[in-house]
Amino acid sequence: MSEISSHKVSFVTVEPEFEGQRIDNFLMRSLRGVPKSRVYRILRKGEVRVNKARVKPEYKLKAGDLVRIPPIRLAEAPNIAAPSQSLWRHLESSILYETDAVMVINKPSGIAVHGGDGVDLGLIEAMRQIRSDCRYLELVHRLDKATSGCVMLAKKRSALKALQQRLRAGRGIQKRYRALVMGAWPERVQLVDQPLKRLELPDGNRIVKVHPQGKLSQTRFQVVERFMVPSVGPLTLVQAEPLTGRTHQIRVHAQFLGHSLVGDPKYGDDQVNREVGRLASLRLCLHACGLSVPPGEDFPGLEVEAPLLTDLVRLLEKLRQGES
C-alpha cells in the first residue's frame, strides 16, 4: 500500500489481498489512530472517492480500485509502545508455524492479543513491529490475556476471510486445550452441553453463566492425568475441545460441574488457588495446545501443536511430587 499523506490528497490502488473488504474497514486500517467518527464523516461528505465516484461505507473494494483519500491529520494516532528486547526475542522464538498466508504463535500468558482498554501493547501490535516485513498482519481469533497457546495471524486478507468464515460457521477448525481443574474429573463426563449467557453484574463486571436463555455451547473433555496434593486434594489435567466458540466456555463449563480451573481468578476457588500457588508460580491453568484446519478450496490446511510453557511444566512437575 502506498504511503498516505497527512497534508495532501493521496491515491491508493487496491491490491488483490484487500479485494472484498469494506471501504470503511479499509480506511480504518490505513488511517490508524484516526477516530472512527472522522472516517465515517469523510465518507459521508464524499471526500473519499473510489474510481472518482462517491461510495457508501459498505462498498466492497475490488482489486485495482483507485481510492482517493483526502488530507487528514494522522498526528492523532497514539504512540504504540515498542516490545522490549526480551519480549521481542520471546515472540520470535514462539512462532510455531508460518507460510506466506498464515502464522501461528505460542502466545505467552499475560499478554493481551491486542492493545486498548489500558493495554499499551498487545500481541498483534508487537508482531507488526517484529515482522515489519509482513505487509498485512491481522488476528484470526482471540485468546484471553491469561490463556497461553495457539493464536493464528493472517498474512493475507484472503486467508483471514476464509478462516473467519470457517470459525463463524463452526466448521473445519478444531481447537484443543489443556486445563488443570479442581477435583477428580469423572471419566464418564466427556461432553458438557450447557447454554451460556453473558451477564452484567451490578458493579459493572461481566461474567458468563450457564443459563437456559443462553447460546448453545458444547465442550468435549478427556482426562489426561490425575494428581493428589495433600493440602488441596485431587486435581485433574484434562484436554478440552470446544465444539462451539463462546466466551470463557471451557472455564464456565468446568465450573458448572464443580471442577473450576486452577488459577482462575473469576470462576475459580480462592483457597485452592492460594494453596497451589505455594507450590509454584500460578496463573490461569489453560493452554491452547493444538490447532487443526483441514484443507479445502479456501485454505490449504494446517496442523499445529503448542508445547506447554515453562510455568505450567514446572507446576505439573511439583504436583507429580505431591508436595504440600
Side-chain angles (χ1 to χ4, degrees):
M1 185 183 297
S2 60
E3 186 175 347
I4 295 171
S5 172
S6 62
H7 60 274
K8 63 181 181 180
V9 171
S10 299
F11 291 91
V12 177
T13 300
V14 176
E15 299 184 12
E17 62 259 39
F18 296 102
E19 181 159 7
Q21 186 173 39
R22 285 172 49 133
I23 183 65
D24 54 353
N25 293 330
F26 178 83
L27 290 171
M28 281 186 271
R29 185 179 187 279
S30 303
L31 303 172
R32 292 193 186 281
V34 174
K36 187 182 295 186
S37 59
R38 177 77 170 116
V39 170
Y40 282 105
R41 185 158 64 247
I42 62 176
L43 276 167
R44 186 173 61 252
K45 293 173 67 176
E47 295 180 55
V48 174
R49 300 289 179 106
V50 178
N51 302 326
K52 300 184 179 180
R54 297 176 67 141
V55 292
K56 293 184 178 180
E58 58 269 22
Y59 173 81
K60 292 187 177 180
L61 295 166
K62 302 178 182 65
D65 276 352
L66 185 64
V67 181
R68 176 196 185 274
I69 300 177
I72 187 165
R73 288 186 59 197
L74 301 180
E76 301 170 13
N79 292 325
I80 298 176
S84 65
Q85 289 188 354
S86 60
L87 178 60
W88 188 297
R89 289 192 297 269
H90 185 76
L91 291 178
E92 273 191 318
S93 65
S94 298
I95 298 174
L96 300 170
Y97 176 92
E98 185 172 9
T99 67
D100 63 347
V102 73
M103 179 190 303
V104 181
I105 306 284
N106 192 0
K107 184 187 84 69
S109 173
I111 180 170
V113 291
H114 59 77
D117 295 330
V119 177
D120 293 331
L121 184 72
L123 176 69
I124 187 62
E125 291 86 9
M127 290 307 301
R128 283 174 181 151
Q129 296 181 63
I130 293 168
R131 295 300 306 274
S132 57
D133 58 307
C134 294
R135 299 174 64 245
Y136 183 93
L137 202 59
E138 296 287 350
L139 288 165
V140 175
H141 61 106
R142 301 181 181 187
L143 278 186
D144 289 339
K145 181 178 180 180
T147 304
S148 57
C150 292
V151 175
M152 281 192 290
L153 308 180
K155 296 170 65 178
K156 290 184 176 181
R157 175 164 167 74
S158 57
L160 178 70
K161 185 176 179 181
L163 290 166
Q164 289 190 336
Q165 282 179 342
R166 289 199 190 192
L167 285 168
R168 282 193 294 269
R171 61 177 179 83
I173 296 182
Q174 182 188 53
K175 298 178 184 177
R176 298 177 296 281
Y177 292 77
R178 290 291 168 91
L180 182 66
V181 303
M182 294 168 42
W185 187 279
E187 292 279 2
R188 59 181 174 77
V189 177
Q190 297 181 349
L191 179 68
V192 178
D193 184 355
Q194 294 290 337
L196 298 179
K197 185 174 183 179
R198 298 179 69 173
L199 302 171
E200 185 167 336
L201 299 177
D203 61 4
N205 287 323
R206 293 183 177 182
I207 62 169
V208 178
K209 283 193 171 185
V210 170
H211 195 285
Q213 296 177 358
K215 295 181 179 179
L216 171 70
S217 306
Q218 296 177 320
T219 310
R220 183 176 292 127
F221 290 92
Q222 181 180 354
V223 173
V224 175
E225 189 173 357
R226 298 185 184 277
F227 308 93
M228 178 57 70
V229 182
S231 62
V232 175
L235 300 175
T236 311
L237 182 67
V238 297
Q239 177 161 298
E241 180 186 338
L243 306 182
T244 51
R246 311 302 178 205
T247 301
H248 298 171
Q249 179 174 315
I250 294 171
R251 297 162 67 182
V252 178
H253 274 170
Q255 178 205 37
F256 176 73
L257 293 182
H259 298 281
S260 295
L261 270 64
V262 175
D264 192 336
K266 185 180 288 281
Y267 305 105
D269 184 289
D270 292 341
Q271 178 63 29
V272 170
N273 292 344
R274 280 194 296 270
E275 292 296 328
V276 176
R278 293 192 175 104
L279 304 181
S281 176
L282 184 63
R283 49 91 164 182
L284 176 66
C285 294
L286 183 62
H287 179 75
C289 65
L291 191 63
S292 301
V293 182
E297 292 182 2
D298 58 347
F299 190 78
L302 62 84
E303 179 76 34
V304 180
E305 295 293 330
L308 291 177
L309 300 184
T310 304
D311 56 353
L312 290 183
V313 171
R314 288 175 179 166
L315 175 59
L316 295 179
E317 288 174 349
K318 288 286 188 180
L319 295 180
R320 292 184 186 108
Q321 296 169 12
E323 294 184 20
S324 60

